[in-house]
Amino acid sequence: MSFASARKVRYLLIACACLGTIIIVSACGNAKKIPTAFSDSNIQRPSAGVERMLDFINNTRQNKGLAALILDDRLCSMAQSWTDIMARDCFCAHVHPEDKTLTTSKRLVLFNRQLKNNGLPLLKLDYISENVGYSADDTLSEKEHLEVCSRGFMNSRIHRGNILSKDATLVGIGLAYGKRKGIKTCYVTQIFGRITQSNTTYIGSDAL
């Protein structure tokens, strides 16, 4: 979805939901690996944006009689990594332009493999959904960028459905600034999840 206001604010929002497995990507012609903890000097992260967006999500849910979501560090790591990659490579989607197979659920599997290799507890989910979007405008403040994306998500049936999902209990939020066609752009990823009650059956368990 794209939008343009009188102030020439632009955003794109994409959503997906998955019930239910590293990769080399190119940026400006240079091959790079997608890491778990990504850092790039050209990417900036909003200072208090995660808490602002979490408050918006939970206030919206509570107004609808739904339980507040818990901010999960592991989902935040997944969301931030993907947001950094979108900001670095100037795209906004659930899959990378260089690899259409890298879905949200597959990224969860890759993330769990890295946790497993480091001897850390796995993120065992039986529900996952994702919203991604961006706001591009040189004149907006951090707060205004986040408001543009939050309003955009709520104006979209699918994105709103992810935010108000009765299946979700956790959320991870990733935010990053980059440049899109020379314009300051705030990229957003929201990942919603639910811990499985089964220790053996969860999204991607057959791939681990």
Side-chain angles (χ1 to χ4, degrees):
M1 175 190 300
S2 60
F3 168 83
S5 74
R7 297 185 62 188
K8 296 183 180 179
V9 179
R10 295 180 293 172
Y11 68 75
L12 175 72
L13 304 173
I14 303 173
C16 79
C18 307
L19 293 171
T21 31
I22 80 216
I23 175 171
I24 303 295
V25 301
S26 63
C28 303
N30 297 321
K32 296 184 179 181
K33 285 187 177 181
I34 293 179
T36 303
F38 186 86
S39 63
D40 190 302
S41 60
N42 294 322
I43 294 173
Q44 298 177 335
R45 293 175 179 172
S47 55
V50 170
E51 291 300 328
R52 283 198 183 103
M53 188 153 276
L54 178 65
D55 287 344
F56 176 85
I57 290 170
N58 281 334
N59 288 338
T60 302
R61 288 178 61 85
Q62 289 171 340
N63 287 338
K64 296 293 185 180
L66 299 170
L69 300 181
I70 298 170
L71 190 68
D72 183 86
D73 288 343
R74 292 170 296 178
L75 277 180
C76 281
S77 180
M78 260 191 73
Q80 189 61 58
S81 178
W82 190 245
T83 310
D84 288 345
I85 290 162
M86 291 195 300
R88 181 194 70 185
D89 294 351
C90 302
F91 75 98
C92 184
H94 298 291
V95 296
H96 196 280
E98 300 296 325
D99 188 341
K100 303 297 186 183
T101 70
L102 194 62
T103 61
T104 308
S105 56
K106 185 173 181 180
R107 279 186 272 124
L108 174 61
V109 170
L110 298 177
F111 184 72
N112 271 329
R113 284 179 184 168
Q114 291 169 323
L115 292 176
K116 184 177 180 180
N117 291 339
N118 289 309
L120 299 173
L122 301 184
L123 182 58
K124 298 180 178 180
L125 304 179
D126 60 13
Y127 169 85
I128 189 170
S129 65
E130 179 179 73
N131 291 340
V132 295
Y134 71 82
S135 167
D137 191 314
D138 286 322
T139 68
L140 295 186
S141 66
E142 174 184 304
K143 183 173 181 289
E144 289 171 323
H145 275 296
L146 298 179
E147 288 174 349
V148 167
C149 287
S150 295
R151 287 197 305 269
F153 286 144
M154 290 306 296
N155 287 334
S156 161
R157 179 182 59 82
I158 296 177
H159 299 86
R160 184 173 62 249
N162 286 340
I163 291 171
L164 298 177
S165 172
K166 295 180 180 179
D167 294 317
T169 57
L170 308 174
V171 64
I173 299 169
L175 306 168
Y177 284 117
K179 287 284 188 179
R180 189 178 183 90
K181 297 181 180 179
I183 300 172
K184 181 180 179 181
T185 301
C186 180
Y187 292 86
V188 178
T189 303
Q190 301 172 339
I191 302 180
F192 306 92
R194 180 181 62 200
I195 299 295
T196 184
Q197 297 301 308
S198 170
N199 195 44
T200 56
T201 304
Y202 47 91
I203 297 173
S205 57
D206 57 344
L208 295 171

